[in-house]
Amino acid sequence: MKKGFTTGSCAAAAAKAATYMLLSGKEKQNIEIETPAGVMFKANIVDICREEAKVSCAVIKDGGDDPDVTTGSHVVATVSIIELSDAGTCAIEIDGGSGVGRVTLPGLDQPVGNAAINHVPREMIEKEVLQVCKLFDFCGRLSVIISVPEGKELAGHTFNPRLGIVGGISILGTTGIVEPMSTKAIVDTIKVELSQKKALGFTTAYVTPGNYGLKFMKDTYNYDLDKSVKCSNFIGETVDLVCEMGFERLLITGHIGKLIKVAGGIMNTHSHEADARMEILSACAIKAGADTDLARKILACLNTEDALHQIEAAGLLQATMDIVLERILFYLDFRAQGKIKIDCILYSNEFGLLAQSKGVSF
């Protein structure tokens, strides 16, 4: 699959090209930078606008085969001279313009008030711009403003609104490279959300795999959704992160269709990783007193909601759900190695609350 380049790489390339044009007086239609991963990025330069003391240009973001909402957006760098100096030094001031978000909550890569341009892209921009300054013996201060004309609209399709980043997208990337369908990118996003909650003083990490879990928490407990973190299918990695960050407690709320897998020790609940939903559910039902006929009916079900109807008809729903919850907690505790207190809420779309551990509180 084709790799792409991050918004950070695009910003650094655009800034380098704009600086070159500003200091040389010549137009530059392509530029090359070295990403932190050591891969060279050859970028085409578009939207060139040259003035005597200011140049702006853009690089069009290409995320490769990764389904990145920012692919096709224009990452613009505007470089201008703040002042000249005889001191033999050069300083770079980096900020965000239109379409680049601004941080309003603590716990992120940048402090509150800063443009959401993470530290690695800032380092990349500074490195590339200083190279050009050295090439032309420039001494003084330069302003580099990164903007993304489409950024404000695109931000609604990212995690930025949940993270308190307003007004646009973030300029991101640690390697400069976009890996297609990157699991790391998703886990990194979970880490950022958890880090923010920790910075806000939370001692409990409130986690749910997806939007249905969030809705259940809101409808059933009137829970403030801004306090929760979505972990997608990455249950195990999320437990690891919660432990590493020093939370005292984890409360996970999930649909039976997801968390039944955890009852079998499956820590990545994506269907491509593992299933065994009916096998685990039938085993728990047998432990609760189900006969072989009921076990066969469960195994024949297409989804967990259908299976719950079969178990309810046999009068074993609560007993079975208590066992499922017990197994979920067992494997979550095993993953955490006793480092944190773990509680769980288990629900179904049709039956509502199925089971919850004794320590559940909000």
Side-chain angles (χ1 to χ4, degrees):
M1 297 182 77
K2 179 186 174 186
K3 295 181 179 181
F5 292 92
T6 63
T7 48
S9 290
C10 295
K16 183 176 185 178
T19 305
Y20 183 94
M21 288 186 274
L22 178 64
L23 300 184
S24 71
K26 300 176 181 179
E27 189 165 294
K28 190 77 170 170
Q29 295 186 334
N30 52 71
I31 203 82
E32 186 173 67
I33 68 167
E34 183 180 7
T35 65
V39 177
M40 301 306 294
F41 175 33
K42 297 179 180 179
N44 294 323
I45 306 302
V46 299
D47 302 339
I48 297 169
C49 181
R50 297 165 59 198
E51 299 177 25
E52 184 177 350
K54 180 171 70 175
V55 173
S56 69
C57 64
V59 172
I60 298 176
K61 167 70 186 301
D62 180 5
D65 289 331
D66 190 69
D68 187 339
V69 298
T70 62
T71 290
S73 61
H74 291 63
V75 181
V76 180
T78 301
V79 180
S80 57
I81 298 173
I82 300 174
E83 65 178 9
L84 299 174
S85 171
D86 295 326
T89 59
C90 184
I92 314 298
E93 297 181 7
I94 301 169
D95 203 357
S98 175
V100 171
R102 200 154 291 270
V103 178
T104 66
L105 294 174
L108 299 179
D109 181 274
Q110 292 296 301
V112 171
N114 271 22
I117 305 172
N118 279 11
H119 74 280
V120 173
R122 286 176 184 269
E123 292 166 2
M124 294 171 67
I125 292 167
E126 184 173 18
K127 172 190 170 186
E128 299 299 338
V129 169
L130 286 176
Q131 280 184 2
V132 179
C133 290
K134 184 177 180 180
L135 178 65
F136 292 102
D137 294 321
F138 173 83
C139 298
R141 284 197 301 146
L142 291 179
S143 166
V144 179
I145 306 296
I146 304 301
S147 56
V148 182
E150 309 91 343
K152 191 170 184 179
E153 180 182 354
L154 291 174
H157 303 286
T158 72
F159 282 94
N160 277 12
R162 288 176 56 85
L163 298 174
I165 298 173
V166 300
I169 65 169
S170 299
I171 305 300
L172 302 171
T174 54
T175 65
I177 306 299
V178 176
E179 298 284 349
M181 301 297 290
S182 173
T183 294
K184 183 179 182 300
I186 300 173
V187 175
D188 283 349
T189 301
I190 297 167
K191 184 176 182 179
V192 168
E193 288 206 61
L194 286 171
S195 177
Q196 187 176 66
K197 301 299 182 287
K198 193 71 169 60
L200 289 170
F202 283 70
T203 57
T204 297
Y206 299 97
V207 171
T208 183
N211 290 324
Y212 287 130
L214 293 175
K215 185 177 186 301
F216 179 81
M217 292 168 73
K218 176 67 174 177
D219 294 346
T220 306
Y221 301 99
N222 196 29
Y223 181 73
D224 182 357
L225 301 186
D226 289 336
K227 296 179 179 179
S228 62
V229 173
K230 285 198 295 185
C231 67
S232 185
N233 295 296
F234 303 100
I235 308 291
E237 286 90 342
T238 302
V239 172
D240 296 342
L241 290 170
V242 170
C243 292
E244 290 170 12
M245 292 183 184
F247 284 92
E248 296 175 7
R249 178 170 164 259
L250 166 66
L251 171 58
I252 184 166
T253 302
H255 187 274
I256 180 68
K258 282 285 186 185
L259 294 191
I260 188 62
K261 297 182 183 181
V262 180
I266 298 167
M267 290 291 155
N268 184 329
T269 57
H270 196 288
S271 57
H272 291 167
E273 292 289 330
D275 192 352
R277 289 168 300 160
M278 301 312 157
E279 290 84 352
I280 297 167
L281 193 50
S282 62
C284 291
I286 288 171
K287 189 173 181 180
D291 57 20
T292 54
D293 183 56
L294 177 56
R296 290 192 185 96
K297 289 179 180 178
I298 295 170
L299 290 170
C301 289
L302 296 178
N303 58 61
T304 50
E305 296 284 354
D306 289 343
L308 293 182
H309 282 287
Q310 297 290 342
I311 298 169
E312 183 194 37
L316 294 172
L317 184 59
Q318 192 57 62
T320 301
M321 292 303 101
D322 288 344
I323 291 168
V324 170
L325 178 65
E326 177 190 340
R327 302 313 298 165
I328 291 170
L329 290 172
F330 170 83
Y331 283 110
L332 291 176
D333 287 335
F334 182 80
R335 180 77 178 219
Q337 293 294 294
K339 295 176 183 176
I340 54 171
K341 174 73 171 66
I342 299 179
D343 285 297
C344 178
I345 297 172
L346 189 64
Y347 74 93
S348 131
N349 294 337
E350 294 188 45
F351 291 88
L353 180 64
L354 295 173
Q356 67 177 41
S357 53
K358 294 179 181 179
V360 167
S361 63
F362 293 93

